[in-house]
Amino acid sequence: MTSPENHIFTSESVSEGHPDKVCDQISDGILDLYLSADERSRVACETLATTNRVIVSGEVNINKNKDSVTNEKIDFLIRDIVKKIGYEQKGFHWENLHIENYLHQQSSDIAMGVDEVTDKKEQGAGDQGIMFGFACSETSNYMPAAIEYSHQILKSLAQFRHQNNSFFGPDSKSQVSVIYENSKPVGIDSIVVSTQHNDDVGNQEVREKVKSLISTSIPSGWMPQEKNILINPTGRFVVGGPDGDTGLTGRKIVVDTYGGAAPHGGGAFSGKDQSKVDRSAAYMARYLAKNIVASKIVDKCLIQLSYAIGVSRPVSIYLKTNKGSDIDINKLINTINDIVDLSPAGIRKHLMLDNPIYFDTASYGHFGRQPCEKTGKFTWEKIDLVEEILSRL
């Protein structure tokens, strides 16, 4: 019987070659290009991709090294991203792309609210909005099981494709349905994978290879029954990518976060610099939630932060833990406020978000990734607040 404790929950992921993810990677690649020239660049870049055509638009503001970010560099970057993803198909080929660039100067009204930093005024949020962070003890990286294994299946598929002269194309999707008993994941009920492939390969060959990759991507003993492993259920998947379906930046926000296991504030991440709290505050909320769960005082933690444009401090903070937890929520919120500066400037400094670190976030999720001290990537995945949290509770 289905209940809050005993149920099946499903999440999906999409590969780096999915049309929307192609666009996310281009938008974040352009963001990194500007940040490499000027760490205080302001960027809000949107991308559209369709048959042999990529269109970029949005607002930018750069003060240092203005001449170093040229249309020619952006053109080269776009083609290089598409090439590395693996698109050399008739309908979408890095060499044959027609690229249109409509990036323009950021509004001075927005810049005034988010850039002015004086003794009397701190950097304000780049927009109003609500942002959520979540963590749970279901997996070793504190991510919900369904989205974690959905990502892992597609990572294995992409790795095999890149390392072998395989029959797989870049575009693929996965879906994993996890069985919960007593609120704990205990197995997988079904898996769906749709993957682009060459025209000359048979369905059975695709199925067997995908199954072998699935088996290396999920816990031992969790393989579903044969009838519940659905590979390319429509039969064939030859035409894919932006040639088969137009892509847009920011259409996979649930894939980017927690697979539907936690709320999403609605704002997309890719193509936005750290002054946009859609991105930076969501990263901070994840960072806090992960450290709280890593402290072992709760099994799940959901945090909501809300902001107003041009205002530096959160309008509100909401925190919820798993059922049965006896933790003092108000004390935990006060602890968060004491140990972390939740202003946009404070978040930027603490997580080092003014570095060109964003391209790698644009596929296979922004959370549950491995932080890298050398490059400064995925700083919001670090677990370095545990001792301080425990000392204050």
Side-chain angles (χ1 to χ4, degrees), residues 190-201:
S190 65
I191 294 176
V192 183
V193 175
S194 296
T195 179
Q196 189 181 17
H197 57 82
N198 294 345
D199 192 28
D200 58 356
V201 66

PDB file of all heavy atoms in Angstrom, residues 190-201:
ATOM      1  N   SER A 190      11.625   0.508 -11.629  1.00  0.00           N
ATOM      2  CA  SER A 190      11.726   0.561 -13.094  1.00  0.00           C
ATOM      3  C   SER A 190      12.749   1.595 -13.518  1.00  0.00           C
ATOM      4  O   SER A 190      13.046   2.546 -12.784  1.00  0.00           O
ATOM      5  CB  SER A 190      10.369   0.885 -13.726  1.00  0.00           C
ATOM      6  OG  SER A 190       9.950   2.192 -13.366  1.00  0.00           O
ATOM      7  N   ILE A 191      13.295   1.378 -14.717  1.00  0.00           N
ATOM      8  CA  ILE A 191      14.247   2.313 -15.323  1.00  0.00           C
ATOM      9  C   ILE A 191      13.857   2.501 -16.785  1.00  0.00           C
ATOM     10  O   ILE A 191      13.574   1.524 -17.493  1.00  0.00           O
ATOM     11  CB  ILE A 191      15.693   1.787 -15.235  1.00  0.00           C
ATOM     12  CG1 ILE A 191      16.153   1.725 -13.776  1.00  0.00           C
ATOM     13  CG2 ILE A 191      16.643   2.674 -16.043  1.00  0.00           C
ATOM     14  CD1 ILE A 191      17.531   1.118 -13.596  1.00  0.00           C
ATOM     15  N   VAL A 192      13.850   3.757 -17.228  1.00  0.00           N
ATOM     16  CA  VAL A 192      13.591   4.089 -18.623  1.00  0.00           C
ATOM     17  C   VAL A 192      14.803   4.844 -19.162  1.00  0.00           C
ATOM     18  O   VAL A 192      15.266   5.802 -18.534  1.00  0.00           O
ATOM     19  CB  VAL A 192      12.326   4.957 -18.786  1.00  0.00           C
ATOM     20  CG1 VAL A 192      12.049   5.233 -20.267  1.00  0.00           C
ATOM     21  CG2 VAL A 192      11.125   4.308 -18.116  1.00  0.00           C
ATOM     22  N   VAL A 193      15.322   4.406 -20.293  1.00  0.00           N
ATOM     23  CA  VAL A 193      16.414   5.128 -20.959  1.00  0.00           C
ATOM     24  C   VAL A 193      16.074   5.267 -22.438  1.00  0.00           C
ATOM     25  O   VAL A 193      15.751   4.279 -23.105  1.00  0.00           O
ATOM     26  CB  VAL A 193      17.761   4.400 -20.810  1.00  0.00           C
ATOM     27  CG1 VAL A 193      18.842   5.132 -21.618  1.00  0.00           C
ATOM     28  CG2 VAL A 193      18.175   4.311 -19.351  1.00  0.00           C
ATOM     29  N   SER A 194      16.127   6.482 -22.926  1.00  0.00           N
ATOM     30  CA  SER A 194      15.993   6.746 -24.359  1.00  0.00           C
ATOM     31  C   SER A 194      17.296   7.359 -24.832  1.00  0.00           C
ATOM     32  O   SER A 194      17.731   8.382 -24.293  1.00  0.00           O
ATOM     33  CB  SER A 194      14.829   7.701 -24.634  1.00  0.00           C
ATOM     34  OG  SER A 194      13.593   7.118 -24.255  1.00  0.00           O
ATOM     35  N   THR A 195      17.926   6.724 -25.810  1.00  0.00           N
ATOM     36  CA  THR A 195      19.218   7.228 -26.276  1.00  0.00           C
ATOM     37  C   THR A 195      19.299   7.248 -27.791  1.00  0.00           C
ATOM     38  O   THR A 195      18.876   6.303 -28.465  1.00  0.00           O
ATOM     39  CB  THR A 195      20.383   6.401 -25.700  1.00  0.00           C
ATOM     40  OG1 THR A 195      21.625   6.921 -26.190  1.00  0.00           O
ATOM     41  CG2 THR A 195      20.275   4.933 -26.074  1.00  0.00           C
ATOM     42  N   GLN A 196      19.829   8.335 -28.298  1.00  0.00           N
ATOM     43  CA  GLN A 196      20.048   8.477 -29.731  1.00  0.00           C
ATOM     44  C   GLN A 196      21.094   7.462 -30.192  1.00  0.00           C
ATOM     45  O   GLN A 196      22.027   7.126 -29.446  1.00  0.00           O
ATOM     46  CB  GLN A 196      20.529   9.899 -30.015  1.00  0.00           C
ATOM     47  CG  GLN A 196      20.595  10.277 -31.483  1.00  0.00           C
ATOM     48  CD  GLN A 196      21.113  11.693 -31.674  1.00  0.00           C
ATOM     49  OE1 GLN A 196      21.705  12.276 -30.758  1.00  0.00           O
ATOM     50  NE2 GLN A 196      20.918  12.256 -32.855  1.00  0.00           N
ATOM     51  N   HIS A 197      20.924   6.955 -31.411  1.00  0.00           N
ATOM     52  CA  HIS A 197      21.847   5.936 -31.925  1.00  0.00           C
ATOM     53  C   HIS A 197      21.947   6.032 -33.439  1.00  0.00           C
ATOM     54  O   HIS A 197      21.122   6.680 -34.101  1.00  0.00           O
ATOM     55  CB  HIS A 197      21.381   4.534 -31.520  1.00  0.00           C
ATOM     56  CG  HIS A 197      19.988   4.215 -31.976  1.00  0.00           C
ATOM     57  ND1 HIS A 197      19.695   3.777 -33.251  1.00  0.00           N
ATOM     58  CD2 HIS A 197      18.793   4.282 -31.327  1.00  0.00           C
ATOM     59  CE1 HIS A 197      18.390   3.591 -33.372  1.00  0.00           C
ATOM     60  NE2 HIS A 197      17.815   3.887 -32.229  1.00  0.00           N
ATOM     61  N   ASN A 198      22.954   5.397 -33.980  1.00  0.00           N
ATOM     62  CA  ASN A 198      23.129   5.363 -35.435  1.00  0.00           C
ATOM     63  C   ASN A 198      22.001   4.596 -36.095  1.00  0.00           C
ATOM     64  O   ASN A 198      21.407   3.676 -35.501  1.00  0.00           O
ATOM     65  CB  ASN A 198      24.471   4.720 -35.801  1.00  0.00           C
ATOM     66  CG  ASN A 198      25.653   5.550 -35.342  1.00  0.00           C
ATOM     67  OD1 ASN A 198      25.510   6.727 -34.991  1.00  0.00           O
ATOM     68  ND2 ASN A 198      26.830   4.938 -35.330  1.00  0.00           N
ATOM     69  N   ASP A 199      21.744   4.931 -37.349  1.00  0.00           N
ATOM     70  CA  ASP A 199      20.633   4.314 -38.081  1.00  0.00           C
ATOM     71  C   ASP A 199      20.858   2.827 -38.350  1.00  0.00           C
ATOM     72  O   ASP A 199      19.908   2.072 -38.500  1.00  0.00           O
ATOM     73  CB  ASP A 199      20.434   5.074 -39.406  1.00  0.00           C
ATOM     74  CG  ASP A 199      19.134   4.695 -40.089  1.00  0.00           C
ATOM     75  OD1 ASP A 199      18.181   4.302 -39.388  1.00  0.00           O
ATOM     76  OD2 ASP A 199      19.075   4.786 -41.331  1.00  0.00           O
ATOM     77  N   ASP A 200      22.116   2.394 -38.397  1.00  0.00           N
ATOM     78  CA  ASP A 200      22.403   1.017 -38.809  1.00  0.00           C
ATOM     79  C   ASP A 200      22.513   0.036 -37.636  1.00  0.00           C
ATOM     80  O   ASP A 200      22.918  -1.115 -37.820  1.00  0.00           O
ATOM     81  CB  ASP A 200      23.703   0.970 -39.622  1.00  0.00           C
ATOM     82  CG  ASP A 200      24.907   1.515 -38.841  1.00  0.00           C
ATOM     83  OD1 ASP A 200      24.710   1.991 -37.701  1.00  0.00           O
ATOM     84  OD2 ASP A 200      26.027   1.473 -39.389  1.00  0.00           O
ATOM     85  N   VAL A 201      22.166   0.461 -36.449  1.00  0.00           N
ATOM     86  CA  VAL A 201      22.258  -0.433 -35.289  1.00  0.00           C
ATOM     87  C   VAL A 201      20.870  -0.930 -34.908  1.00  0.00           C
ATOM     88  O   VAL A 201      19.878  -0.215 -35.015  1.00  0.00           O
ATOM     89  CB  VAL A 201      22.923   0.283 -34.096  1.00  0.00           C
ATOM     90  CG1 VAL A 201      22.059   1.410 -33.582  1.00  0.00           C
ATOM     91  CG2 VAL A 201      23.218  -0.696 -32.974  1.00  0.00           C
TER      92      VAL A 201
END
